[in-house]
Amino acid sequence: MFRHHGKARTFIHNLRLAILLSFVAGLVNITGVLELHTLTTNVTGHFAYFAEEFMKKDYATAVTFLLFTLCFLLGAFTSNCIVEWVLQRNPRLAHVVPIALEIFILTSVGLFFTSNSIYLIEGKLEAFLLLFAMGIQNSLVTKVSQSRVRTTHLTGLFTDLGIELSQLFFYKKPEQQKKLKTNIYLRLSIISFFFLGCVLGGLAYTFIGIKTLFIASAVLVVALLHDYLLLKIYVFNRKKSAL
């Protein structure tokens, strides 16, 4: 799911990546909305909020929304720096370190933060960390999937989905239809599991509040274990066939 790159990467790898991490993004998204009443998985809306507060001359709040966008950017920057650095030393761990960092951040926010307002210092820091974590995830997923999968926001996905659905009426060759249907299925999977993460996360939040982020961390742990076990099975089978 994470380890395969280039020609070794298949649709199934991207589908597994899309399902698990879009579900995580949905969980973080609804938790941020219910806890802080702001967006914590993407930055599109924060530019509008920044402009609104700037026009109201509430410059402190405007700067806060600007910092939200920069935290997402910093997360993406940090993630790729880690991947490039680890690739030169131990390629098998290139995806593990960013995901481990994301797990650490989400778990820490669930453990140590209780603020429900971005107008408090603790609430701002909570939002900063969640946006940083989602920047890490989106950057890693984009790099691993060669830009075929993005999991933290849906605007571009709905745009691509609309384009590809319309193309079904014009591109009739079997290979074209197959490619379009594959892409549509992938995008629908991301949208569906993001939505599922939001719904289940919302239900979980009513019982455990900010600790809903523990569920997101657990899913990420499962993703890492999945890759680790598949690698062990692959190595075992190769040794067995070599005997």
Side-chain angles (χ1 to χ4, degrees), residues 18-223:
I19 287 173
L20 284 175
L21 296 196
S22 60
F23 183 72
V24 168
L27 286 168
V28 175
N29 182 59
I30 191 61
T31 303
V33 168
L34 294 175
E35 179 77 7
L36 299 168
H37 308 289
T38 193
L39 306 171
T40 53
T41 59
N42 66 85
V43 298
T44 307
H46 291 310
F47 281 104
Y49 294 142
F50 166 78
E52 180 186 18
E53 298 302 330
F54 188 85
M55 292 302 295
K56 291 178 180 178
K57 297 185 179 180
D58 185 353
Y59 300 120
T61 304
V63 168
T64 297
F65 285 115
L66 182 61
L67 288 175
F68 285 168
T69 66
L70 295 178
C71 284
F72 191 94
L73 173 65
L74 181 61
F77 173 83
T78 302
S79 178
N80 200 63
C81 283
I82 291 172
V83 169
E84 295 293 346
W85 186 80
V86 177
L87 274 174
Q88 297 176 9
R89 290 157 179 80
N90 191 339
R92 288 183 178 179
L93 296 179
H95 67 280
V96 175
V97 181
I99 291 292
L101 179 58
E102 183 182 353
I103 292 170
F104 174 77
I105 292 170
L106 295 180
T107 304
S108 297
V109 172
L111 278 174
F112 301 115
F113 287 82
T114 57
S115 174
N116 60 359
S117 173
I118 60 167
Y119 298 100
L120 301 175
I121 295 297
E122 184 183 356
K124 288 182 174 67
L125 182 57
E126 190 175 340
F128 290 161
L129 289 171
L130 291 179
L131 283 158
F132 181 80
M134 290 297 97
I136 289 174
Q137 176 173 304
N138 206 44
S139 173
L140 178 65
V141 170
T142 300
K143 185 175 182 64
V144 167
S145 69
Q146 297 174 315
S147 299
R148 289 190 176 89
V149 177
R150 286 185 172 84
T151 60
T152 62
H153 53 279
L154 302 181
T155 308
L157 281 168
F158 273 100
T159 303
D160 293 338
L161 181 61
I163 291 170
E164 287 160 351
L165 285 171
S166 70
Q167 288 176 335
L168 287 174
F169 296 102
F170 299 97
Y171 297 92
K172 299 295 187 179
K173 293 181 179 179
E175 62 273 14
Q176 292 173 329
Q177 287 276 309
K178 182 180 179 181
K179 183 179 179 180
L180 283 170
K181 288 177 181 178
T182 298
N183 289 338
I184 289 169
Y185 184 75
L186 179 62
R187 301 192 202 290
L188 286 174
S189 297
I190 296 172
I191 292 167
S192 298
F193 277 86
F194 187 96
F195 177 75
L196 182 63
C198 286
V199 172
L200 295 182
L203 292 173
Y205 186 88
T206 61
F207 295 100
I208 58 177
I210 190 65
K211 291 180 174 56
T212 303
L213 293 175
F214 293 166
I215 302 174
S217 295
V219 174
L220 291 172
V221 170
V222 168

Side-chain angles (χ1 to χ4, degrees), residues 231-243:
L231 177 63
K232 286 296 182 182
I233 293 170
Y234 173 75
V235 172
F236 174 78
N237 289 334
R238 285 198 63 180
K239 288 181 178 179
K240 186 177 179 181
S241 61
L243 294 177

